[in-house]
Amino acid sequence: MHQVFEITRTSRKLLAQFLENHSLEQLNKIPVGFNNNLIWNIGHIVVVQQMLAYKLSGLPMMVSEELFEKYKKGTKPESDASQEEVATIQSLLFETINQTKSDFNAGIFKNYQEFTSASGFTMRNVEDALAFNYYHEGMHIGMMMSIRKFI
């Protein structure tokens, strides 16, 4: 499982670069032909990881309910993210992964509610969820690379 966390950490470094290298206006811009923006993708990545690992394990997530509702699957940007919200998402990038690794090593993920993703992958335990998560993050980073060309 060490590699799963290292791959996710690498993904999060790429996400951090998007946050560091784009203005608030650029993070919030939805280019023509897209239905979301850079900050939505990053927020979505953070909340989905928390849902996959914690919520489906019956454990409290590290993200607020408000953040979860704004960025969960099936949502799209309804308003611009504030600088404060961007800072919150930025701080959660690594905090969530570090805490998940610590919690995984402590063995807290005992129960898991089976879940099948929209792409058809069924997760039966947290190990499946964490492995699926880096596929999910990679897919959204690809979308962000496309969005970046139009902002």
Side-chain angles (χ1 to χ4, degrees):
M1 287 301 293
H2 175 74
Q3 282 302 104
V4 168
F5 290 107
E6 287 309 306
I7 291 167
T8 304
R9 209 171 262 112
T10 299
S11 167
R12 299 300 174 98
K13 287 176 186 174
L14 290 171
L15 295 171
Q17 288 175 4
F18 276 94
L19 292 171
E20 293 162 8
N21 296 325
H22 293 85
S23 68
L24 182 61
E25 181 182 348
Q26 290 173 314
L27 291 170
N28 279 301
K29 182 173 177 61
I30 302 172
V32 173
F34 291 85
N35 61 0
N36 55 49
N37 53 30
L38 294 175
I39 193 61
W40 182 90
N41 278 279
I42 298 169
H44 175 73
I45 284 169
V46 169
V47 303
V48 166
Q49 183 272 334
Q50 288 289 289
M51 184 270 298
L52 290 172
Y54 289 88
K55 190 169 189 159
L56 291 173
S57 293
L59 299 168
M61 297 184 291
M62 290 179 63
V63 298
S64 68
E65 189 63 29
E66 178 185 3
L67 203 66
F68 179 74
E69 289 298 320
K70 186 171 182 179
Y71 292 99
K72 69 182 180 181
K73 178 179 171 25
T75 64
K76 62 182 182 179
E78 300 295 337
S79 61
D80 284 353
S82 66
Q83 191 64 55
E84 180 182 26
E85 188 173 326
V86 171
T88 297
I89 291 168
Q90 188 168 20
S91 72
L92 288 167
L93 277 179
F94 294 100
E95 287 174 21
T96 52
I97 294 308
N98 293 338
Q99 187 63 50
T100 303
K101 182 178 183 181
S102 176
D103 289 343
F104 180 84
N105 290 337
I108 73 161
F109 299 103
K110 296 186 185 319
N111 301 311
Y112 198 81
Q113 178 186 335
E114 189 173 294
F115 177 76
T116 301
S117 72
S119 59
F121 183 77
T122 299
M123 291 155 261
R124 292 178 175 84
N125 53 48
V126 75
E127 291 86 355
D128 291 350
L130 294 172
F132 173 80
N133 183 66
Y134 61 77
Y135 156 79
H136 178 258
E137 292 196 14
M139 185 178 63
H140 281 280
I141 289 171
M143 289 180 207
M144 292 170 63
M145 290 177 174
S146 294
I147 289 170
R148 181 177 58 187
K149 295 176 185 176
F150 298 100
I151 60 170

Short mmCIF file of all heavy atoms in Angstrom, two decimals, residues 66-123:
data_model
loop_
_atom_site.label_atom_id
_atom_site.label_comp_id
_atom_site.label_asym_id
_atom_site.label_seq_id
_atom_site.Cartn_x
_atom_site.Cartn_y
_atom_site.Cartn_z
N GLU A 66 -20.44 21.08 4.02
CA GLU A 66 -20.63 22.11 3.01
C GLU A 66 -19.70 21.89 1.81
O GLU A 66 -20.12 21.95 0.66
CB GLU A 66 -20.38 23.49 3.63
CG GLU A 66 -20.50 24.64 2.65
CD GLU A 66 -20.12 25.98 3.26
OE1 GLU A 66 -19.71 26.03 4.44
OE2 GLU A 66 -20.23 26.97 2.53
N LEU A 67 -18.43 21.63 2.09
CA LEU A 67 -17.46 21.37 1.02
C LEU A 67 -17.83 20.09 0.28
O LEU A 67 -17.79 20.05 -0.96
CB LEU A 67 -16.05 21.26 1.61
CG LEU A 67 -14.90 21.53 0.66
CD1 LEU A 67 -14.88 22.99 0.21
CD2 LEU A 67 -13.57 21.19 1.33
N PHE A 68 -18.22 19.07 1.01
CA PHE A 68 -18.62 17.81 0.39
C PHE A 68 -19.79 18.03 -0.57
O PHE A 68 -19.77 17.57 -1.71
CB PHE A 68 -18.99 16.77 1.45
CG PHE A 68 -19.43 15.46 0.87
CD1 PHE A 68 -18.52 14.59 0.30
CD2 PHE A 68 -20.77 15.11 0.86
CE1 PHE A 68 -18.92 13.39 -0.26
CE2 PHE A 68 -21.19 13.90 0.31
CZ PHE A 68 -20.26 13.05 -0.26
N GLU A 69 -20.81 18.74 -0.12
CA GLU A 69 -22.01 18.98 -0.95
C GLU A 69 -21.68 19.80 -2.20
O GLU A 69 -22.28 19.59 -3.24
CB GLU A 69 -23.10 19.66 -0.13
CG GLU A 69 -23.74 18.76 0.91
CD GLU A 69 -24.44 17.54 0.30
OE1 GLU A 69 -25.09 17.67 -0.75
OE2 GLU A 69 -24.32 16.44 0.90
N LYS A 70 -20.73 20.70 -2.09
CA LYS A 70 -20.39 21.57 -3.22
C LYS A 70 -19.58 20.85 -4.29
O LYS A 70 -19.68 21.17 -5.47
CB LYS A 70 -19.61 22.78 -2.70
CG LYS A 70 -19.33 23.81 -3.77
CD LYS A 70 -18.76 25.09 -3.21
CE LYS A 70 -18.56 26.10 -4.33
NZ LYS A 70 -18.03 27.37 -3.83
N TYR A 71 -18.77 19.85 -3.90
CA TYR A 71 -17.83 19.23 -4.84
C TYR A 71 -18.07 17.74 -5.09
O TYR A 71 -17.31 17.13 -5.84
CB TYR A 71 -16.39 19.45 -4.35
CG TYR A 71 -15.98 20.89 -4.41
CD1 TYR A 71 -16.00 21.69 -3.26
CD2 TYR A 71 -15.58 21.47 -5.61
CE1 TYR A 71 -15.62 23.03 -3.32
CE2 TYR A 71 -15.20 22.80 -5.67
CZ TYR A 71 -15.23 23.57 -4.52
OH TYR A 71 -14.86 24.90 -4.59
N LYS A 72 -19.09 17.16 -4.53
CA LYS A 72 -19.32 15.73 -4.71
C LYS A 72 -19.73 15.42 -6.15
O LYS A 72 -20.05 16.33 -6.93
CB LYS A 72 -20.39 15.22 -3.73
CG LYS A 72 -21.78 15.74 -4.02
CD LYS A 72 -22.76 15.24 -2.98
CE LYS A 72 -24.17 15.76 -3.30
NZ LYS A 72 -25.13 15.32 -2.29
N LYS A 73 -19.72 14.14 -6.47
CA LYS A 73 -20.12 13.67 -7.80
C LYS A 73 -21.50 14.21 -8.14
O LYS A 73 -22.39 14.25 -7.30
CB LYS A 73 -20.14 12.14 -7.82
CG LYS A 73 -20.58 11.55 -9.15
CD LYS A 73 -20.54 10.03 -9.11
CE LYS A 73 -21.16 9.35 -10.29
NZ LYS A 73 -21.23 10.03 -11.54
N GLY A 74 -21.64 14.64 -9.38
CA GLY A 74 -22.92 15.14 -9.84
C GLY A 74 -23.11 16.64 -9.66
O GLY A 74 -24.14 17.18 -10.06
N THR A 75 -22.12 17.30 -9.08
CA THR A 75 -22.21 18.75 -8.93
C THR A 75 -21.42 19.46 -10.02
O THR A 75 -20.66 18.82 -10.76
CB THR A 75 -21.67 19.21 -7.55
OG1 THR A 75 -20.28 18.90 -7.47
CG2 THR A 75 -22.43 18.54 -6.41
N LYS A 76 -21.61 20.74 -10.10
CA LYS A 76 -20.81 21.61 -10.97
C LYS A 76 -20.73 22.96 -10.28
O LYS A 76 -21.50 23.23 -9.35
CB LYS A 76 -21.43 21.71 -12.36
CG LYS A 76 -22.81 22.31 -12.39
CD LYS A 76 -23.38 22.35 -13.79
CE LYS A 76 -24.75 23.01 -13.76
NZ LYS A 76 -25.34 23.10 -15.06
N PRO A 77 -19.81 23.80 -10.70
CA PRO A 77 -19.68 25.10 -10.02
C PRO A 77 -20.96 25.92 -10.16
O PRO A 77 -21.44 26.16 -11.27
CB PRO A 77 -18.52 25.77 -10.76
CG PRO A 77 -17.79 24.67 -11.45
CD PRO A 77 -18.82 23.62 -11.75
N GLU A 78 -21.51 26.31 -9.02
CA GLU A 78 -22.70 27.17 -9.00
C GLU A 78 -22.33 28.61 -8.71
O GLU A 78 -23.10 29.52 -8.97
CB GLU A 78 -23.70 26.65 -7.95
CG GLU A 78 -24.19 25.23 -8.19
CD GLU A 78 -25.00 25.05 -9.48
OE1 GLU A 78 -25.58 26.05 -9.97
OE2 GLU A 78 -25.05 23.92 -9.99
N SER A 79 -21.15 28.80 -8.13
CA SER A 79 -20.63 30.14 -7.84
C SER A 79 -19.11 30.04 -7.77
O SER A 79 -18.56 28.94 -7.67
CB SER A 79 -21.19 30.66 -6.51
OG SER A 79 -20.79 29.81 -5.45
N ASP A 80 -18.46 31.18 -7.83
CA ASP A 80 -17.00 31.19 -7.76
C ASP A 80 -16.54 30.81 -6.35
O ASP A 80 -17.17 31.16 -5.36
CB ASP A 80 -16.45 32.58 -8.09
CG ASP A 80 -16.48 32.88 -9.58
OD1 ASP A 80 -16.81 31.97 -10.38
OD2 ASP A 80 -16.17 34.03 -9.95
N ALA A 81 -15.43 30.10 -6.30
CA ALA A 81 -14.79 29.79 -5.02
C ALA A 81 -14.07 31.05 -4.54
O ALA A 81 -13.45 31.76 -5.33
CB ALA A 81 -13.81 28.64 -5.18
N SER A 82 -14.14 31.31 -3.25
CA SER A 82 -13.42 32.45 -2.66
C SER A 82 -11.96 32.06 -2.44
O SER A 82 -11.61 30.88 -2.47
CB SER A 82 -14.06 32.82 -1.33
OG SER A 82 -13.86 31.76 -0.39
N GLN A 83 -11.14 33.07 -2.16
CA GLN A 83 -9.73 32.80 -1.84
C GLN A 83 -9.63 31.94 -0.58
O GLN A 83 -8.78 31.06 -0.49
CB GLN A 83 -8.96 34.11 -1.67
CG GLN A 83 -7.47 33.91 -1.61
CD GLN A 83 -6.89 33.35 -2.90
OE1 GLN A 83 -7.07 33.90 -3.98
NE2 GLN A 83 -6.19 32.23 -2.82
N GLU A 84 -10.54 32.17 0.36
CA GLU A 84 -10.55 31.38 1.60
C GLU A 84 -10.87 29.90 1.31
O GLU A 84 -10.24 29.00 1.86
CB GLU A 84 -11.58 31.95 2.57
CG GLU A 84 -11.67 31.20 3.87
CD GLU A 84 -12.74 31.76 4.80
OE1 GLU A 84 -13.71 32.37 4.33
OE2 GLU A 84 -12.59 31.55 6.01
N GLU A 85 -11.82 29.67 0.42
CA GLU A 85 -12.17 28.29 0.05
C GLU A 85 -11.01 27.61 -0.67
O GLU A 85 -10.71 26.44 -0.42
CB GLU A 85 -13.41 28.30 -0.84
CG GLU A 85 -13.97 26.94 -1.12
CD GLU A 85 -15.30 27.02 -1.86
OE1 GLU A 85 -16.09 27.95 -1.63
OE2 GLU A 85 -15.54 26.12 -2.69
N VAL A 86 -10.35 28.34 -1.55
CA VAL A 86 -9.18 27.79 -2.24
C VAL A 86 -8.10 27.42 -1.22
O VAL A 86 -7.50 26.35 -1.31
CB VAL A 86 -8.64 28.79 -3.30
CG1 VAL A 86 -7.30 28.33 -3.85
CG2 VAL A 86 -9.65 28.97 -4.42
N ALA A 87 -7.88 28.28 -0.23
CA ALA A 87 -6.88 28.00 0.81
C ALA A 87 -7.26 26.75 1.61
O ALA A 87 -6.39 25.94 1.95
CB ALA A 87 -6.74 29.21 1.74
N THR A 88 -8.54 26.58 1.89
CA THR A 88 -9.01 25.39 2.61
C THR A 88 -8.73 24.14 1.78
O THR A 88 -8.18 23.16 2.29
CB THR A 88 -10.52 25.49 2.91
OG1 THR A 88 -10.73 26.62 3.77
CG2 THR A 88 -11.05 24.22 3.56
N ILE A 89 -9.08 24.18 0.51
CA ILE A 89 -8.85 23.04 -0.38
C ILE A 89 -7.35 22.75 -0.48
O ILE A 89 -6.92 21.60 -0.40
CB ILE A 89 -9.48 23.28 -1.76
CG1 ILE A 89 -11.01 23.27 -1.65
CG2 ILE A 89 -9.00 22.25 -2.79
CD1 ILE A 89 -11.74 23.78 -2.88
N GLN A 90 -6.55 23.80 -0.59
CA GLN A 90 -5.09 23.63 -0.69
C GLN A 90 -4.55 22.96 0.57
O GLN A 90 -3.71 22.06 0.48
CB GLN A 90 -4.42 24.98 -0.91
CG GLN A 90 -2.94 24.87 -1.21
CD GLN A 90 -2.37 26.19 -1.71
OE1 GLN A 90 -2.94 27.26 -1.52
NE2 GLN A 90 -1.23 26.11 -2.38
N SER A 91 -5.02 23.35 1.73
CA SER A 91 -4.52 22.74 2.97
C SER A 91 -4.96 21.28 3.08
O SER A 91 -4.24 20.46 3.64
CB SER A 91 -4.99 23.53 4.19
OG SER A 91 -6.36 23.35 4.43
N LEU A 92 -6.12 20.95 2.51
CA LEU A 92 -6.62 19.59 2.58
C LEU A 92 -5.90 18.64 1.62
O LEU A 92 -5.95 17.42 1.80
CB LEU A 92 -8.13 19.56 2.30
CG LEU A 92 -9.02 20.12 3.40
CD1 LEU A 92 -10.44 20.33 2.88
CD2 LEU A 92 -9.00 19.23 4.62
N LEU A 93 -5.24 19.17 0.61
CA LEU A 93 -4.58 18.32 -0.38
C LEU A 93 -3.68 17.27 0.27
O LEU A 93 -3.77 16.08 -0.05
CB LEU A 93 -3.74 19.16 -1.36
CG LEU A 93 -4.43 19.81 -2.52
CD1 LEU A 93 -3.42 20.60 -3.35
CD2 LEU A 93 -5.16 18.81 -3.38
N PHE A 94 -2.81 17.72 1.15
CA PHE A 94 -1.85 16.80 1.77
C PHE A 94 -2.31 16.32 3.15
O PHE A 94 -2.01 15.20 3.53
CB PHE A 94 -0.46 17.43 1.82
CG PHE A 94 0.11 17.64 0.45
CD1 PHE A 94 0.07 18.87 -0.15
CD2 PHE A 94 0.65 16.57 -0.26
CE1 PHE A 94 0.57 19.06 -1.45
CE2 PHE A 94 1.15 16.74 -1.55
CZ PHE A 94 1.11 17.99 -2.14
N GLU A 95 -3.06 17.17 3.87
CA GLU A 95 -3.57 16.75 5.18
C GLU A 95 -4.41 15.48 5.06
O GLU A 95 -4.28 14.57 5.88
CB GLU A 95 -4.42 17.85 5.81
CG GLU A 95 -3.65 19.04 6.32
CD GLU A 95 -4.58 20.16 6.80
OE1 GLU A 95 -5.76 19.89 7.11
OE2 GLU A 95 -4.10 21.30 6.88
N THR A 96 -5.26 15.44 4.05
CA THR A 96 -6.15 14.28 3.90
C THR A 96 -5.37 13.02 3.58
O THR A 96 -5.68 11.95 4.13
CB THR A 96 -7.21 14.54 2.81
OG1 THR A 96 -6.57 14.97 1.61
CG2 THR A 96 -8.22 15.58 3.25
N ILE A 97 -4.38 13.12 2.73
CA ILE A 97 -3.60 11.93 2.36
C ILE A 97 -2.73 11.48 3.53
O ILE A 97 -2.63 10.28 3.82
CB ILE A 97 -2.76 12.20 1.09
CG1 ILE A 97 -3.69 12.43 -0.11
CG2 ILE A 97 -1.79 11.05 0.80
CD1 ILE A 97 -4.74 11.34 -0.31
N ASN A 98 -2.10 12.43 4.21
CA ASN A 98 -1.28 12.06 5.37
C ASN A 98 -2.12 11.38 6.44
O ASN A 98 -1.71 10.37 7.02
CB ASN A 98 -0.57 13.29 5.93
CG ASN A 98 0.47 13.85 4.98
OD1 ASN A 98 0.96 13.16 4.08
ND2 ASN A 98 0.81 15.11 5.15
N GLN A 99 -3.31 11.93 6.71
CA GLN A 99 -4.17 11.35 7.73
C GLN A 99 -4.71 9.98 7.28
O GLN A 99 -4.78 9.05 8.08
CB GLN A 99 -5.35 12.28 8.05
CG GLN A 99 -6.18 11.82 9.23
CD GLN A 99 -5.38 11.78 10.52
OE1 GLN A 99 -4.71 12.74 10.87
NE2 GLN A 99 -5.41 10.65 11.22
N THR A 100 -5.05 9.86 6.01
CA THR A 100 -5.54 8.57 5.51
C THR A 100 -4.46 7.50 5.66
O THR A 100 -4.75 6.37 6.08
CB THR A 100 -6.00 8.68 4.04
OG1 THR A 100 -7.01 9.69 3.94
CG2 THR A 100 -6.55 7.36 3.54
N LYS A 101 -3.23 7.85 5.33
CA LYS A 101 -2.13 6.88 5.48
C LYS A 101 -1.97 6.48 6.94
O LYS A 101 -1.83 5.29 7.26
CB LYS A 101 -0.83 7.45 4.92
CG LYS A 101 0.32 6.47 5.00
CD LYS A 101 1.60 7.02 4.40
CE LYS A 101 2.70 5.95 4.45
NZ LYS A 101 3.97 6.44 3.91
N SER A 102 -1.99 7.47 7.82
CA SER A 102 -1.87 7.19 9.25
C SER A 102 -3.02 6.31 9.74
O SER A 102 -2.81 5.33 10.47
CB SER A 102 -1.84 8.52 10.01
OG SER A 102 -1.82 8.30 11.40
N ASP A 103 -4.24 6.64 9.32
CA ASP A 103 -5.42 5.86 9.73
C ASP A 103 -5.38 4.46 9.14
O ASP A 103 -5.76 3.48 9.80
CB ASP A 103 -6.70 6.58 9.33
CG ASP A 103 -6.97 7.83 10.16
OD1 ASP A 103 -6.36 7.98 11.24
OD2 ASP A 103 -7.78 8.66 9.72
N PHE A 104 -4.91 4.34 7.91
CA PHE A 104 -4.79 3.02 7.28
C PHE A 104 -3.80 2.16 8.07
O PHE A 104 -4.08 1.01 8.40
CB PHE A 104 -4.35 3.15 5.82
CG PHE A 104 -4.23 1.82 5.13
CD1 PHE A 104 -5.35 1.21 4.58
CD2 PHE A 104 -3.01 1.16 5.07
CE1 PHE A 104 -5.24 -0.03 3.96
CE2 PHE A 104 -2.90 -0.08 4.47
CZ PHE A 104 -4.02 -0.68 3.91
N ASN A 105 -2.66 2.75 8.40
CA ASN A 105 -1.64 2.02 9.16
C ASN A 105 -2.13 1.64 10.55
O ASN A 105 -1.71 0.63 11.11
CB ASN A 105 -0.34 2.81 9.23
CG ASN A 105 0.36 2.89 7.89
OD1 ASN A 105 0.16 2.05 7.01
ND2 ASN A 105 1.18 3.92 7.70
N ALA A 106 -3.05 2.46 11.11
CA ALA A 106 -3.61 2.17 12.44
C ALA A 106 -4.74 1.15 12.36
O ALA A 106 -5.24 0.71 13.39
CB ALA A 106 -4.11 3.47 13.07
N GLY A 107 -5.15 0.80 11.14
CA GLY A 107 -6.18 -0.23 10.97
C GLY A 107 -7.59 0.19 11.30
O GLY A 107 -8.42 -0.65 11.68
N ILE A 108 -7.91 1.49 11.12
CA ILE A 108 -9.27 1.93 11.48
C ILE A 108 -10.33 1.61 10.43
O ILE A 108 -11.51 1.66 10.72
CB ILE A 108 -9.33 3.44 11.82
CG1 ILE A 108 -9.21 4.30 10.56
CG2 ILE A 108 -8.28 3.82 12.86
CD1 ILE A 108 -9.70 5.71 10.76
N PHE A 109 -9.92 1.28 9.23
CA PHE A 109 -10.87 1.00 8.15
C PHE A 109 -11.31 -0.46 8.21
O PHE A 109 -10.83 -1.31 7.47
CB PHE A 109 -10.26 1.34 6.79
CG PHE A 109 -9.88 2.78 6.64
CD1 PHE A 109 -8.55 3.18 6.72
CD2 PHE A 109 -10.85 3.75 6.42
CE1 PHE A 109 -8.19 4.50 6.58
CE2 PHE A 109 -10.50 5.08 6.28
CZ PHE A 109 -9.17 5.46 6.36
N LYS A 110 -12.22 -0.76 9.12
CA LYS A 110 -12.63 -2.15 9.36
C LYS A 110 -13.87 -2.54 8.56
O LYS A 110 -13.98 -3.65 8.08
CB LYS A 110 -12.88 -2.36 10.84
CG LYS A 110 -11.62 -2.18 11.69
CD LYS A 110 -11.86 -2.54 13.12
CE LYS A 110 -10.69 -2.26 14.03
NZ LYS A 110 -9.39 -2.56 13.58
N ASN A 111 -14.80 -1.63 8.43
CA ASN A 111 -16.05 -1.90 7.71
C ASN A 111 -16.04 -1.10 6.41
O ASN A 111 -15.51 0.00 6.37
CB ASN A 111 -17.26 -1.49 8.55
CG ASN A 111 -17.29 -2.24 9.86
OD1 ASN A 111 -17.16 -3.46 9.89
ND2 ASN A 111 -17.45 -1.51 10.96
N TYR A 112 -16.65 -1.66 5.38
CA TYR A 112 -16.70 -0.93 4.12
C TYR A 112 -18.01 -1.25 3.41
O TYR A 112 -18.37 -2.42 3.29
CB TYR A 112 -15.51 -1.28 3.21
CG TYR A 112 -15.30 -0.26 2.12
CD1 TYR A 112 -14.64 0.92 2.37
CD2 TYR A 112 -15.83 -0.47 0.85
CE1 TYR A 112 -14.47 1.89 1.39
CE2 TYR A 112 -15.67 0.49 -0.14
CZ TYR A 112 -14.99 1.67 0.14
OH TYR A 112 -14.84 2.63 -0.84
N GLN A 113 -18.70 -0.21 2.98
CA GLN A 113 -19.93 -0.36 2.22
C GLN A 113 -19.55 -0.48 0.74
O GLN A 113 -19.03 0.47 0.15
CB GLN A 113 -20.84 0.85 2.45
CG GLN A 113 -22.12 0.83 1.66
CD GLN A 113 -22.90 2.13 1.84
OE1 GLN A 113 -22.76 2.82 2.84
NE2 GLN A 113 -23.71 2.45 0.86
N GLU A 114 -19.77 -1.63 0.17
CA GLU A 114 -19.41 -1.85 -1.23
C GLU A 114 -19.98 -0.75 -2.12
O GLU A 114 -21.11 -0.30 -1.93
CB GLU A 114 -19.93 -3.22 -1.69
CG GLU A 114 -19.43 -3.64 -3.04
CD GLU A 114 -19.82 -5.06 -3.39
OE1 GLU A 114 -19.33 -5.99 -2.72
OE2 GLU A 114 -20.62 -5.22 -4.33
N PHE A 115 -19.18 -0.33 -3.10
CA PHE A 115 -19.56 0.79 -3.97
C PHE A 115 -19.03 0.53 -5.37
O PHE A 115 -17.88 0.12 -5.53
CB PHE A 115 -18.95 2.08 -3.40
CG PHE A 115 -19.21 3.30 -4.23
CD1 PHE A 115 -20.44 3.93 -4.21
CD2 PHE A 115 -18.20 3.85 -5.02
CE1 PHE A 115 -20.68 5.06 -4.97
CE2 PHE A 115 -18.43 4.98 -5.79
CZ PHE A 115 -19.67 5.59 -5.75
N THR A 116 -19.87 0.78 -6.37
CA THR A 116 -19.45 0.65 -7.76
C THR A 116 -19.40 2.04 -8.38
O THR A 116 -20.38 2.78 -8.34
CB THR A 116 -20.40 -0.27 -8.55
OG1 THR A 116 -20.41 -1.56 -7.92
CG2 THR A 116 -19.94 -0.42 -9.99
N SER A 117 -18.25 2.38 -8.95
CA SER A 117 -18.07 3.70 -9.56
C SER A 117 -18.86 3.79 -10.86
O SER A 117 -19.29 2.79 -11.42
CB SER A 117 -16.58 3.93 -9.86
OG SER A 117 -16.18 3.12 -10.94
N ALA A 118 -18.99 5.02 -11.36
CA ALA A 118 -19.67 5.24 -12.64
C ALA A 118 -18.96 4.52 -13.78
O ALA A 118 -19.59 4.16 -14.77
CB ALA A 118 -19.75 6.74 -12.92
N SER A 119 -17.65 4.29 -13.62
CA SER A 119 -16.90 3.59 -14.67
C SER A 119 -17.01 2.07 -14.54
O SER A 119 -16.45 1.34 -15.35
CB SER A 119 -15.43 4.03 -14.64
OG SER A 119 -14.85 3.77 -13.39
N GLY A 120 -17.72 1.61 -13.50
CA GLY A 120 -17.98 0.18 -13.36
C GLY A 120 -17.03 -0.59 -12.46
O GLY A 120 -17.10 -1.80 -12.38
N PHE A 121 -16.15 0.11 -11.76
CA PHE A 121 -15.22 -0.56 -10.85
C PHE A 121 -15.87 -0.72 -9.48
O PHE A 121 -16.30 0.27 -8.88
CB PHE A 121 -13.92 0.22 -10.73
CG PHE A 121 -12.89 -0.46 -9.86
CD1 PHE A 121 -12.16 -1.54 -10.34
CD2 PHE A 121 -12.66 -0.02 -8.57
CE1 PHE A 121 -11.22 -2.17 -9.54
CE2 PHE A 121 -11.72 -0.64 -7.76
CZ PHE A 121 -11.00 -1.72 -8.25
N THR A 122 -15.93 -1.94 -8.97
CA THR A 122 -16.54 -2.19 -7.67
C THR A 122 -15.46 -2.23 -6.60
O THR A 122 -14.47 -2.97 -6.72
CB THR A 122 -17.33 -3.51 -7.67
OG1 THR A 122 -18.37 -3.39 -8.65
CG2 THR A 122 -17.95 -3.80 -6.31
N MET A 123 -15.67 -1.43 -5.57
CA MET A 123 -14.76 -1.37 -4.42
C MET A 123 -15.41 -2.13 -3.27
O MET A 123 -16.52 -1.83 -2.88
CB MET A 123 -14.50 0.08 -4.03
CG MET A 123 -13.68 0.82 -5.08
SD MET A 123 -13.92 2.61 -5.05
CE MET A 123 -15.08 2.79 -6.41
#
